Amino acid sequence: AATRKNAADDKLKQIMRRFADLHRDGSRIILISGDVDFAADIADFKRRMCLSVILLHNSNASESLILAASEVHNFYDILSTLPVKHENIIPKINDELTVSNLPSIKDCPEQTILQKLNQVA
């Protein structure tokens, strides 16, 4: 179920396994996570499928996760080297948006179309 605690992790592991099955020997997977639950999978990708696994992790990443990867980088260390960009954003008064290819009123009530447009506005 999508509401399970590790549903997103499980889905990501499934996608990574599919990628590994299709693109073996010499391909790379870049994982941005500090979750130890990925350690066994990335160790398997590295050892059995000859994939390079680049891990971008947080400061709390477990040693087993770090050791499982081919290459590791602390995500926050990378971010700290980037310059901070300060922008003065001046709101534009007359922004316009053209919406096209809407369903016909015959196919969908006008009120439903207006509600959907207001949701995305």
Side-chain angles (χ1 to χ4, degrees), residues 62-81:
S62 72
E63 186 177 0
S64 61
L65 179 66
I66 291 170
L67 292 174
S70 309
E71 184 178 327
V72 293
H73 302 278
N74 185 306
F75 184 74
Y76 297 107
D77 288 347
I78 293 170
L79 288 181
S80 69
T81 64

Side-chain angles (χ1 to χ4, degrees), residues 9-102:
D9 289 353
D10 292 343
K11 185 65 177 175
L12 183 54
K13 287 178 187 180
Q14 178 186 27
I15 292 167
M16 290 181 350
R17 284 186 205 110
R18 285 184 189 156
F19 177 87
D21 287 339
L22 291 172
H23 308 281
R24 293 178 180 248
D25 299 337
S27 293
R28 290 184 178 149
I29 292 178
I30 299 175
L31 175 64
I32 304 173
S33 180
D35 192 337
V36 70
D37 292 343
F38 289 102
D41 288 291
I42 65 175
D44 185 55
F45 297 150
K46 185 174 86 170
R47 183 185 67 255
R48 191 172 58 84
M49 298 181 174
C50 300
L51 282 126
S52 173
V53 180
I54 301 169
L55 175 67
L56 302 178
H57 63 85
N58 59 16
S59 300
N60 300 326
S62 72
E63 186 177 0
S64 61
L65 179 66
I66 291 170
L67 292 174
S70 309
E71 184 178 327
V72 293
H73 302 278
N74 185 306
F75 184 74
Y76 297 107
D77 288 347
I78 293 170
L79 288 181
S80 69
T81 64
L82 299 176
V84 177
K85 184 176 181 183
H86 298 283
E87 281 188 26
N88 293 331
I89 300 174
I90 301 169
K92 296 179 181 175
I93 297 169
N94 295 321
D95 287 339
E96 291 185 24
L97 175 67
T98 301
V99 179
S100 61
N101 204 22
L102 293 172

